[in-house]
Amino acid sequence: VQLQASGGGLVQAGGSLRLSCAASGRTIDSYVKMGWFRQAPGKEREFVAQITWRGIRISYSDSVKGRFTISRDNAKNTVYLQMNSLKPEDTAVYSCAAAPSAEYAFWGQETLVTVSS
């Protein structure tokens, strides 16, 4: 099982980025849920968003609600995180994760998002 995150980069405040999490070795619809997390310098990793099997339930952290959108494309075996109206406080390394049961067990490589003011 591999999760490959990509799409990070440097963007000005107010800009947008779309992160992708491509899964291999297992289809994303075999997971109970998939999510995005981030860790800013000097801070603990925090939850950003998650989407359950077949996209029935979606949830976001309060800090990104209304600005970020998580989605999934089963045909491409990929989960996306569309990030709009980015703020400097969104600067962090972002990683995707997959949960074969209730808990997240598989973590992908990180991708760095830097938002300049």
Side-chain angles (χ1 to χ4, degrees), residues 4-52:
Q4 181 71 48
S6 61
L10 174 63
V11 63
Q12 288 188 329
S16 299
L17 283 173
R18 188 178 79 157
L19 305 184
S20 299
C21 176
S24 60
R26 183 168 171 171
T27 58
I28 60 173
D29 60 3
S30 70
Y31 294 112
V32 171
K33 59 186 178 183
M34 293 191 69
W36 287 96
F37 294 76
R38 68 185 182 186
Q39 186 168 18
K43 295 187 177 182
E44 297 288 319
R45 183 171 61 194
E46 65 172 352
F47 165 80
V48 176
Q50 71 180 17
I51 184 167
T52 60

Side-chain angles (χ1 to χ4, degrees), residues 54-102:
R54 292 186 176 178
I56 293 175
R57 291 189 63 184
I58 293 175
S59 58
Y60 300 96
S61 67
D62 288 342
S63 61
V64 307
K65 197 174 296 182
R67 300 187 297 122
F68 290 13
T69 302
I70 188 171
S71 62
R72 57 195 293 161
D73 185 334
N74 288 349
K76 295 183 178 181
N77 218 33
T78 300
V79 174
Y80 302 98
L81 184 68
Q82 177 66 44
M83 307 186 295
N84 298 329
S85 303
L86 282 162
K87 305 175 181 180
E89 50 264 43
D90 294 318
T91 294
V93 287
Y94 287 70
S95 55
C96 60
S101 58

